[in-house]
Amino acid sequence: MKRIIPSGPVAGTVRLPGSKSITNRALVVAALASGTSRLQGALRADDTDAMVESLEGLGIVLSWAGDDLTVEGSGGSFGTGDVEIDVRGSGTTARFLTAAATVHTGTVVVDGNRRMRSRPIGDLVRTLGQLGAAVEVLGDEDRPPVRVHGSSLAGGAALLDASRSSQFASAVLLVAPYAAGDVVLELQEPIVSRPYIDQTLDVMRAFGAEAGWDGPTTLVVSTGGYQAHDYVIEGDASAAVYPLVAAAVCGGTVRVGPLPAGSLQADLGVLPVLERMGAQVTRHGDDIELTGSPRTLAAVTEDMNAAPDAVVALAVAALFAEGRTSLTNIANLRIKESNRIDDLADELRKLGGSVETGDDHLSVEGGELAPADIDPRDDHRLAMAFALAGLRIPGVRLENPDCVAKTWPDYFDMLEGITTPLVVAIDGPGGVGKSTVSQAVAGRFGLGHLETGGMYRAGALAVLEAGLDLEDEEAVAALIDSLTVDIVDGQVILNGREVTAALRTEAVSGASSRVSAIPRVREALVALQRRWVDPEGEGAVVEGRDIGTVVFPDSPVKVYLTARPEVRAVRRVRDLGLREDDIPRIASELAARDQRDSTREVSPLRPAEDALVVDTSDMPIEQVVDRVAAYMLERR
Ligand code: DC
């Protein structure tokens, strides 16, 4: 179980893993080609390992050097003998090699894991049959395993039902240059995920094949094979979706690449969708940059047929958008690594999402969000997407996070690299309930808690103990510079001495307010507060006077608590264990302190422009905590 650390705005540049789709296509083509090919920037992950090992099983010699793969091409005839290959969970490996295995001499059984045995393959097998291959389906209901009896394809005309998976068309195309005659493949509409077919044609042509569309539904491939080639593989656009969506939902800016301008990768289709949701997208050479404004994330209605893999991450983003997002024309998501309509909906609902599903669509709206333990159903895209939900919803935990290795083994390292632990900034004058609320919120979400007033109070105590004149700013600042102050589990440690109890006196309260108006003192203590919130840590609730305005101005969750002066005076008297007739005196002390804290020149007490202002005068404390917690989850 992996606990996801909630994040403030993201920042950074992500070097994407090589495209899975392109890597597996190029591997098949290079394995069939004449000569030795080099695939630069190839993806090294479970799905491409499955392809590499399956090709090795078919007699192909491959070797890795860093991210480069060298492939000794077979010149259009794989090995001999009867072999079995295990494609594990890789759909492209199963489909592409069922077709490519027709150039093997002998029989090839193509099998995979349990999920693979539930994904259809019959349409592909029937089309290969029309082209002269002998392939049997061994599993139930048109599902793997299949047995391919090696015998090259004759070629000619064939019909393919392309409504379930574009991988069937790609599989036929990839082996078609080795058919005895030209292949004319007629696709029955509707054609799902058409950009993936274009991607296949692009890789084929790079290795010298003549292949292309002849009309909207007809593909033509000339016989003639492939020539080896040194081929550069683009970054994976399907992977790019996750850091991009992270910026859209958390705010901040990320760059991802390499994704060259002419890229055909289908999931680049997510970019205009994210723009319509309110993000800003710009191109910088081979990189794409996205800046998010999560507070104004808007719901969208989109036909996702051309970019199906992006649906899972968009559905998660929809939790944080204003309104109901509808993603349509996605029926084939039911037969991916998981049922990416129903399984996705179940997990979104655990987080409080309001989700409706249909045969070929899904709609999502945020509602009252709450943390949950997410089961990604061993589906890498669910795991990657729900990690993004955890960046926004504190307390999300992910079962079986390692399933991301299917396409992005370093995914969580990437995420750590671009995220910053969430800081919840709670400001306000004394007696409004800041500490109680901050502690409760931190406890509820497992965040750290820093009461910055303790640092000013510790400084004031040291000044009083040293007998310094509070007017002597030089001397006071010099003394505070020389102190070591830390706060550990709510205990204030001054020069190694635990002083928490000594800080609550009225003398210290008054002195701390005066000490805190000295610019050099603030500089020193603000630096200390920023260090306290460990950039590698798990996030924190930080309370004070200037947290949202000065110390952590990028915090996406800023709260300003206020209350009527008489209410605050009563609370203070109660907290300090004083008597009722102390109320007027405490009230006037609070008023004087407010006046000084909010009129001082540096970092005066005031709400940040984007702060949620809550008047706690007439609210029980639990209600304030609930209000702040709800705001944290919505952030808008
Ligand atoms: O929150 P508190 O009452 O413990 O704070 C004591 C004083 O410290 C307060 O009067 C002003 C000052 N302070 C500040 O200037 N900035 C902060 N972030 C926290 C406290």
Side-chain angles (χ1 to χ4, degrees), residues 156-170:
L159 202 60
L160 175 72
D161 180 344
S163 64
R164 304 235 254 178
S165 173
S166 66
Q167 291 175 8
F168 300 155
S170 289

Side-chain angles (χ1 to χ4, degrees), residues 349-362:
R349 288 187 187 114
K350 283 190 194 166
L351 296 172
S354 148
V355 188
E356 284 166 20
T357 60
D359 287 346
D360 68 344
H361 66 270
L362 173 87

Side-chain angles (χ1 to χ4, degrees), residues 76-121:
S77 63
F78 288 167
T80 54
D82 297 338
V83 293
E84 267 191 55
I85 57 176
D86 178 7
V87 305
R88 297 183 249 168
S90 169
T92 49
T93 305
R95 278 73 180 259
F96 297 172
L97 292 188
T98 293
T102 54
V103 306
H104 183 83
T105 307
T107 65
V108 180
V109 172
V110 179
D111 200 357
N113 63 17
R114 230 177 71 208
R115 178 69 190 161
M116 187 55 59
R117 285 186 168 199
S118 71
R119 297 175 69 180
I121 199 157

Side-chain angles (χ1 to χ4, degrees), residues 434 451-454 456-457 504 512-513 516 522 544-547 572 593 597 600:
K434 277 197 313 284
E451 187 184 348
T452 59
Y456 291 95
R457 285 173 183 269
R504 303 316 300 179
S512 65
S513 167
S516 71
R522 298 206 73 81
R545 300 291 189 285
D546 59 341
I547 310 306
R572 257 295 134 89
R593 202 140 69 89
D597 291 348
R600 69 187 176 212

Side-chain angles (χ1 to χ4, degrees), residues 318-325 348 351-354 364-370 636:
L319 287 175
F320 309 106
E322 187 76 51
R324 177 166 288 275
T325 289
L348 288 167
L351 296 172
S354 148
V364 185
E365 186 167 3
E368 268 188 37
L369 301 179
R636 57 174 142 82

Side-chain angles (χ1 to χ4, degrees), residues 490-502:
Q491 307 291 299
V492 184
I493 320 284
L494 170 62
N495 285 340
R497 176 165 63 109
E498 209 268 285
V499 294
T500 322

